Amino acid sequence: MEKTTDIASSGLSSSTNGQVCASGSASSSCTMAGTARSGLIFQEAFLWEKSREGRCAISLPKQDVETSLLDPELTGDAPELPQLSELDVVRHYTRLSQWNFGVDSGMYPLGSCTMKYNPKTNEVQAARPGFTGAHPLADEDLSQGCLELIYNLEQYLAEITGMDAVTLQPAAGAHGELAGMLAIHAYHAKKGHQRSKIIIPDTAHGTNPASATLCGYKSVNIQSGPDGILTPEAVEAVMDEETAGIMITNPNTLGLFEENIKQIAEIVHKKGGLVYGDGANMNAVMGIFKPGEIGIDVIHLNLHKTFSTPHGGGGPGSGPIAVVKELEPFLPVPRVEKKDDKFILVDDRPDAMGRMLTFHGHFGIMIRAYAYILSLGSKGLTDVSKLAVLNANYIKASLKEDLHLPYDRPCMHECVFTDKFQSDYGVTTLDMAKRIMDYGFHPPTVYFPLVVHGAIMIEPTESESKETIDQFIHALKAVVTEAKENPDILKSAPHLSKLSRLDEVSAARKPVLRG
């Protein structure tokens, strides 16, 4: 079964408020650093071991139809499911919730992921019976409220991005990327000359090359300049009449704004190409600039990031795309249109790419994004980006003497450090990420972006207060001190979690899927 680490035998001691400190380190700095403390950890047997014949956690209503057994030739052997009492089930899920770290538990400093707090009003609106009881096959006359929400949300996103049209069908960010590339592919096909290549910078998101490949394009990789951003010269050197366009992430994965974007767009457009904008980092620029006004032709958005619904665990997500007028005919169907104060679904689009998803997209995420936009308004959305950028730059300035900063310039919503200073003590980025868990914080993103060796990427989002951010900064400073004074503590961390450091190689090669 699971094994926990004995804190006493690992060279650790607890300060008066239960925080973990390295032996010999100043207790005052540790007291300021974190919120974690050692508590009671339940060990639970596998559900199949707790199972007993005849136990059932639910009471089903009396059947009003005769029982009809399924044909075993069609269904195969019935799955082995544990038989548990109601109390067993309640305790099982309660324990799981106590073991997990969630955005309602503490800060997620995950760079490029925007795991920010989801206001509870969003959940209230998404749970309204008129939405939860709606069915996508219902007649248009019975779905006016849902169709109006889809229509209005598309209009709001078009306004935010400076684009002409939006589709909400794509199910997540990478799906939105694919939809955007399919629109570019359809555009060139309509022109009568399909192209074969797409330009992808080294600071683009990792899914960009895959999306381009699925559309039949060969990726042409280019390197960013010494300042961490693209140079027009690098783009001009590879842009030709066989290149469909460029996929550019802005702000890029270094957390830097691509200052040359207008010049780059002009170079691409001059050769008949299109500019795809990866809008996963839109959290930094809402209300500050509009992609459609600086040469972007199509951009995807992550509603489950920028517009507040925390993602993870496989979804659900929502990755709509916004496009310029020339690409609107290629958007997936059905489209929601307004006609004589009524909202209708339109399928008659001969150049459309077809459907990207069954029905109309992940509607529950749309409701949350809609509530978020209406709650904040235009000024509020602009303030979101301003605060996200302010918080990231505050962290950058506070830690630049403790962690190596490869690009010492103003960042956007996230900042990137490395483990260069700690490598002299044999301490790696992974060691520091594991250790920060003992201070009550979720680890930041590590080893990404790939263009920075030993990267530590931190995104505080706009949601976190200065007090919480200061606590995170103190925790990282304490970890840096430990790396110098007692590196062995970091190499065996974490010490307070339910499990200590796992053998990741064995877990990948010999996964245990039971229970």
Side-chain angles (χ1 to χ4, degrees):
M1 295 285 292
E2 297 91 341
K3 177 184 177 183
T4 54
T5 301
D6 182 358
I7 296 176
S9 65
S10 63
L12 302 175
S13 61
S14 283
S15 65
T16 54
N17 68 343
Q19 293 147 12
V20 182
C21 302
S23 297
S25 65
S27 61
S28 60
S29 64
C30 187
T31 300
M32 296 174 64
T35 60
R37 59 188 301 145
S38 179
L40 186 62
I41 297 177
F42 294 97
Q43 299 292 350
E44 183 180 21
F46 291 128
L47 296 183
W48 282 265
E49 295 172 355
K50 298 174 70 172
S51 176
R52 294 295 182 272
E53 185 72 28
R55 288 182 179 172
C56 185
I58 59 174
S59 298
L60 297 174
K62 185 177 180 180
Q63 294 181 174
D64 57 0
V65 295
E66 294 183 6
T67 300
S68 179
L69 298 177
L70 297 175
D71 187 345
E73 292 185 2
L74 298 176
T75 61
D77 295 331
E80 178 193 355
L81 299 176
Q83 300 182 51
L84 305 169
S85 69
E86 178 181 325
L87 185 56
D88 286 334
V89 173
V90 170
R91 285 178 175 169
H92 170 68
Y93 283 105
T94 300
R95 287 168 185 150
L96 289 181
S97 70
Q98 293 168 341
W99 293 341
N100 287 339
F101 189 95
V103 74
D104 287 350
S105 306
M107 177 182 176
Y108 267 90
L110 284 175
S112 280
C113 281
T114 315
M115 287 287 282
K116 63 187 182 183
Y117 178 72
N118 179 35
K120 292 299 174 274
T121 182
N122 299 358
E123 299 296 332
V124 172
Q125 314 317 323
R128 291 189 179 277
F131 290 137
T132 59
H135 194 285
L137 287 178
D139 188 79
E140 290 176 4
D141 291 336
L142 302 176
S143 306
Q144 287 296 294
C146 296
L147 295 178
E148 181 178 359
L149 187 147
I150 292 174
Y151 180 86
N152 288 343
L153 180 56
E154 288 183 351
Q155 303 307 306
Y156 289 148
L157 295 178
E159 173 65 24
I160 290 169
T161 57
M163 296 291 191
D164 296 303
V166 174
T167 176
L168 300 173
Q169 268 197 37
H175 203 213
E177 285 179 21
L178 177 60
M181 294 310 298
L182 286 172
I184 291 176
H185 189 274
Y187 169 85
H188 286 298
K190 187 74 173 179
K191 287 282 187 180
H193 175 62
Q194 189 52 261
R195 303 190 176 196
S196 60
K197 298 180 291 185
I198 199 84
I199 301 171
I200 300 181
D202 58 358
T203 53
H205 278 129
T207 47
N208 285 183
S211 299
T213 300
L214 285 172
C215 293
Y217 293 124
K218 177 183 177 182
S219 298
V220 178
N221 301 114
I222 57 174
Q223 292 185 336
S224 50
D227 294 330
I229 61 174
L230 282 179
T231 63
E233 293 77 16
V235 176
E236 192 162 28
V238 296
M239 184 64 205
D240 57 27
E241 284 77 8
E242 285 302 313
T243 303
I246 187 171
M247 300 183 78
I248 186 167
T249 302
N250 194 21
N252 65 28
T253 55
L254 291 170
L256 305 176
F257 186 79
E258 293 287 352
E259 298 171 5
N260 302 315
I261 181 65
K262 288 192 74 172
Q263 291 174 265
I264 291 171
E266 289 171 1
I267 292 168
V268 173
H269 289 154
K270 188 176 180 180
K271 294 292 181 70
L274 295 174
V275 180
Y276 170 87
D278 186 312
N281 293 339
M282 195 74 182
N283 204 58
V285 294
M286 285 188 298
I288 309 301
F289 85 98
K290 295 185 177 184
E293 296 178 355
I294 58 172
I296 304 293
D297 298 298
V298 51
I299 185 170
H300 93 266
L301 303 170
N302 292 53
L303 298 190
H304 54 283
K305 290 173 57 175
T306 302
F307 298 93
S308 87
T309 305
H311 59 303
S318 181
I321 61 170
V323 299
V324 294
K325 195 169 188 63
E326 290 76 12
L327 295 179
E328 183 177 4
F330 309 112
L331 292 180
V333 291
R335 303 276 294 134
V336 179
E337 294 185 0
K338 187 176 182 181
K339 185 176 181 181
D340 299 329
D341 294 325
K342 181 180 179 181
F343 298 93
I344 60 174
L345 291 170
V346 177
D347 288 288
D348 185 19
R349 295 291 181 91
D351 292 326
M353 64 181 71
R355 280 185 179 271
M356 288 298 296
L357 194 71
T358 304
F359 302 120
H360 315 297
H362 285 162
F363 187 64
I365 305 302
M366 299 177 202
I367 301 170
R368 291 168 172 85
Y370 190 65
Y372 187 71
I373 292 171
L374 288 180
S375 298
L376 289 171
S378 59
K379 182 181 183 302
L381 291 175
T382 303
D383 288 344
V384 161
S385 293
K386 289 180 178 179
L387 291 171
V389 172
L390 177 65
N391 287 348
N393 279 277
Y394 178 62
I395 288 177
K396 178 180 71 69
S398 300
L399 292 173
K400 61 189 288 186
E401 302 300 325
D402 303 281
L403 296 168
H404 174 245
L405 186 64
Y407 298 96
D408 191 2
R409 53 178 298 181
C411 64
M412 298 300 287
H413 62 304
E414 57 196 7
C415 53
V416 178
F417 300 98
T418 83
D419 60 2
K420 183 177 180 179
F421 296 162
Q422 286 68 45
S423 61
D424 291 341
Y425 312 112
V427 171
T428 67
T429 289
L430 183 64
D431 295 330
M432 290 187 280
K434 296 291 187 182
R435 180 57 173 154
I436 199 71
M437 295 168 64
D438 286 331
Y439 288 87
F441 290 98
H442 192 285
T445 297
V446 297
Y447 302 119
F448 181 83
L450 299 178
V451 293
V452 174
H453 179 75
I456 305 169
M457 178 185 272
I458 300 171
E459 180 186 2
T461 78
E462 77 287 350
S463 304
E464 302 297 341
S465 67
K466 182 177 181 296
E467 291 77 16
T468 299
I469 294 173
D470 281 338
Q471 201 168 42
F472 175 73
I473 291 170
H474 287 311
L476 265 178
K477 285 179 175 289
V479 170
V480 167
T481 300
E482 290 176 337
K484 182 177 180 180
E485 297 178 355
N486 198 347
D488 288 341
I489 287 181
L490 276 71
K491 294 177 182 178
S492 57
H495 301 278
L496 289 184
S497 57
K498 184 176 185 293
L499 300 178
S500 187
R501 193 174 304 200
L502 303 177
D503 184 343
E504 297 180 16
V505 175
S506 295
R509 293 180 177 177
K510 300 177 181 179
V512 178
L513 303 179
R514 185 186 176 206

